[in-house]
Amino acid sequence: MRSLTLLRSIGALAAGLLLVSVLGGCAVFNKSNRRTLNLLDKHVQFESTTAKIAAAPVFVPVGTVVLATDAAVVNPVAVLPKTADDVYQLYWKPRDMDFFRKALFFPFCVVLTPPTFAGDWILRILFIGNDND
Amino acid sequence: MIRSQVFRMLSLRFTASLFLLAVTLLPPALFSGCACFNKDNVPTLNFVEKHLVPESTTSQVIASPVVFPIGLVALGVDIAIVHPAMVIPDAASDTKDALWDDLDWDKMYVTECAALPWRTFVTPVVFTGDFLGRAFFDIPGKAEQIRGKEKYAGDLAKAGGLVKEGKYAEDLAKAGKLVEEGKYSEAQKTLKEIRMDSLPDKEQQEMMFLELKVQCLTGDYESVSGYYLQDLLKSDRKQEVFAFLETCRKSDQPMVRWTACQALLAAYEQETEKLRNVFRELMAEQDTVLRAMGLRFVGERSRVYTALLPDLKRVAEEDGNPTNRALAAHIVEQLGK
């Protein structure tokens, strides 16, 4: 029973550490991937510490919702052109190839485009954002 | 019958408990080994060693039945209590640095508000991970880092002091004399002895220049284009180095001439006229092999030496050796792409 509890604790700790490392690479940690939040930051500024503390009960939930919106909606939409460009560069960019080779590669490009797009999109949503690399 | 069953159950339980204990204790014990190998992490053991362990080996052997268990207990106390307690401030400081520094409540109020619950949630996780890492492994804390910097500063001061005392100055003078006498391998040996990173700038430059001299004068062209040359060309001794290399170019030994040419080709990368002069003179060498080496050197870095294109075209047409002509033509072709 005790060993089970110990194992559970170790498991919880490992899961916690994994979560931290995943979040560490999260795209929204990069300022350029928090468009809505940056907009709010620009307009919501308080001079006095009292005002900051007083407004916190409102802006902690608001900020959390906006951050989630950035991560779940805005950023995924914003990275779509870049993702499409990645796929284009990889499979569809005109290359110095003769007709035979083009015809040979064509079905592979067609088949691989959707999974590559999906993979790249998820990667950009979670970690890379709109950066080039 | 019942007795034997009870005995078997007890022994099974005992074995299971022992196994569980071993499984539970082994990884921390192994990992703790890393941290406890550093004397700074085991103050209790240090205390026991200082006050209870006799100096002579014979006394140590005699006292071992008493001292050994005490030492083990001290080590256990260090691993389980003292060292983990010692690393708490560092773990806290790391957590603060990672999560709670650089908060900008003035310009990024909403972002900081949004991050607040996350920071709060992640803080114990980061702290625990950092704490466990520091407790198990020998990760230098801030105090150790400061001590390391002090030690480095001490090393520098020591090197400075040694120069003042004339130790390195004497050795450098000796190496310089050996170079003048043409005893290059002995000079290299002396230079090797005094080579150290913490040598003060002036002495470091002198050492590098002497090494360069030895490399050039022995035709050790493979070593010459290293970072010593680049460092020297940025130093106050730049003119001296160029003068020396120009002298080497007039040497009657082909490999010395080539070594100097190679160094100058590397040094004049940004100075087109000088670069072209060196290359032209190299291509005017009687020795076919030297010309080929020059072409190979330029060919490997053709993108840097685009200024040499007209000269390379001329070599491709006029060189007396067909292989060299082909080599030059190949480089011209590469540059044209």
Side-chain angles (χ1 to χ4, degrees):
Chain A
M1 198 66 185
R2 271 186 190 169
S3 63
L4 208 69
T5 318
L6 183 77
L7 274 175
R8 269 186 195 156
S9 314
I10 292 170
L13 186 74
L17 285 173
L18 189 73
L19 184 74
V20 172
S21 52
V22 169
L23 283 175
C26 199
V28 286
F29 274 33
N30 187 339
K31 201 183 171 193
S32 61
N33 298 325
R34 300 187 303 247
R35 290 168 182 76
T36 328
L37 211 54
N38 292 342
L39 205 73
L40 269 178
D41 276 335
K42 224 177 188 178
H43 291 97
V44 183
Q45 284 178 0
F46 296 102
E47 291 282 310
S48 72
T49 314
T50 323
K52 281 173 193 163
I53 295 169
V58 176
F59 281 102
V60 168
V62 168
T64 311
V65 171
V66 172
L67 182 69
T69 314
D70 267 336
V73 184
V74 181
N75 202 32
V77 174
V79 298
L80 277 173
K82 210 80 180 171
T83 312
D85 187 54
D86 286 346
V87 177
Y88 171 77
Q89 295 291 338
L90 203 61
Y91 298 132
W92 302 105
K93 193 173 79 171
R95 286 192 173 87
D96 188 19
M97 281 196 256
D98 55 13
F99 175 75
F100 167 72
R101 202 168 282 247
K102 271 182 192 165
L104 194 73
F105 284 137
F106 183 76
F108 293 103
C109 292
V110 171
V111 171
L112 287 173
T113 292
T116 310
F117 184 89
D120 190 71
W121 190 51
I122 290 168
L123 212 67
R124 282 194 175 275
I125 290 170
L126 291 181
F127 303 106
I128 307 169
N130 242 346
D131 295 341
N132 273 330
D133 298 313
Chain B
M1 186 74 176
I2 295 167
R3 229 174 109 187
S4 77
Q5 267 184 348
V6 169
F7 181 73
R8 198 189 296 166
M9 261 180 70
L10 276 176
S11 68
L12 257 173
R13 247 187 197 187
F14 181 65
T15 318
S17 313
L18 262 185
F19 180 72
L20 191 69
L21 189 75
V23 166
T24 318
L25 287 180
L26 192 67
L30 280 174
F31 287 137
S32 304
C34 300
C36 72
F37 283 144
N38 186 341
K39 269 194 163 185
D40 292 338
N41 298 334
V42 284
T44 322
L45 187 66
N46 294 344
F47 181 83
V48 169
E49 198 176 34
K50 194 177 172 191
H51 292 96
L52 296 178
V53 180
E55 280 189 10
S56 76
T57 317
T58 325
S59 317
Q60 279 181 7
V61 172
I62 294 165
S64 63
V66 180
V67 173
F68 195 72
I70 297 174
L72 271 182
V73 171
L75 184 65
V77 168
D78 276 331
I79 290 171
I81 302 164
V82 181
H83 183 240
M86 278 163 65
V87 299
I88 289 174
D90 279 324
S93 165
D94 285 348
T95 312
K96 186 180 157 288
D97 289 350
L99 297 172
W100 297 101
D101 264 3
D102 305 324
L103 303 186
D104 189 353
W105 289 99
D106 293 327
K107 288 178 187 160
M108 294 168 67
Y109 179 74
V110 186
T111 304
E112 297 302 358
C113 276
L116 200 63
W118 294 100
R119 285 188 210 276
T120 316
F121 169 70
V122 165
T123 295
V125 182
V126 172
F127 177 82
T128 312
D130 193 279
F131 170 73
L132 289 176
R134 285 187 174 278
F136 290 155
F137 300 105
D138 185 24
I139 302 166
K142 288 203 169 139
E144 277 88 354
Q145 282 169 11
I146 292 165
R147 269 209 294 279
K149 278 181 191 164
E150 281 169 358
K151 192 180 169 294
Y152 179 67
D155 283 349
L156 269 180
K158 195 177 150 201
L162 285 168
V163 172
K164 265 187 197 162
E165 285 166 24
K167 188 177 180 317
Y168 292 128
E170 262 176 36
D171 285 351
L172 282 168
K174 187 181 155 194
K177 208 176 164 195
L178 286 168
V179 171
E180 274 175 30
E181 288 167 5
K183 295 173 182 170
Y184 303 128
S185 60
E186 281 176 56
Q188 246 167 348
K189 219 170 153 188
T190 313
L191 287 168
K192 206 175 168 186
E193 279 168 20
I194 57 175
R195 188 189 298 151
M196 59 184 285
D197 290 332
S198 49
L199 210 62
D201 282 355
K202 208 178 145 201
E203 281 70 21
Q204 182 86 14
Q205 281 171 19
E206 175 64 22
M207 189 203 71
M208 289 195 296
F209 194 20
L210 284 170
E211 290 223 341
L212 179 74
K213 278 184 176 175
V214 172
Q215 285 159 1
C216 280
L217 295 169
T218 52
D220 180 12
Y221 64 92
E222 280 177 353
S223 309
V224 86
S225 60
Y227 67 97
Y228 276 11
L229 178 67
Q230 300 306 324
D231 275 4
L232 277 172
L233 293 176
K234 282 178 210 151
S235 75
D236 304 337
R237 307 194 69 166
K238 190 179 167 180
Q239 294 310 321
E240 242 181 295
V241 174
F242 277 122
F244 169 73
L245 291 174
E246 291 292 349
T247 319
C248 285
R249 267 176 73 196
K250 292 176 183 79
S251 164
D252 52 0
Q253 292 178 52
M255 287 318 281
V256 173
R257 289 204 299 279
W258 161 237
T259 311
C261 273
Q262 184 190 305
L264 286 166
L265 283 172
Y268 290 144
E269 270 177 19
Q270 308 296 330
E271 295 174 72
T272 311
E273 269 317 301
K274 287 179 181 173
L275 177 73
R276 288 186 70 182
N277 270 339
V278 174
F279 185 70
R280 269 184 223 139
E281 281 181 32
L282 183 62
M283 289 302 113
E285 282 275 357
Q286 290 297 309
D287 195 327
T288 313
V289 178
L290 277 198
R291 298 201 304 275
M293 285 170 92
L295 286 168
R296 197 177 144 227
F297 182 81
V298 170
E300 281 170 356
R301 300 156 188 79
S302 55
R303 295 281 156 219
V304 180
Y305 294 122
T306 43
L308 296 176
L309 189 61
D311 302 290
L312 282 162
K313 277 181 183 166
R314 202 167 45 80
V315 175
E317 285 166 9
E318 293 172 11
D319 196 281
N321 183 281
T323 315
N324 284 355
R325 285 202 300 273
L327 201 55
H330 178 69
I331 302 168
V332 171
E333 197 187 316
Q334 288 292 315
L335 283 170
K337 273 186 186 170

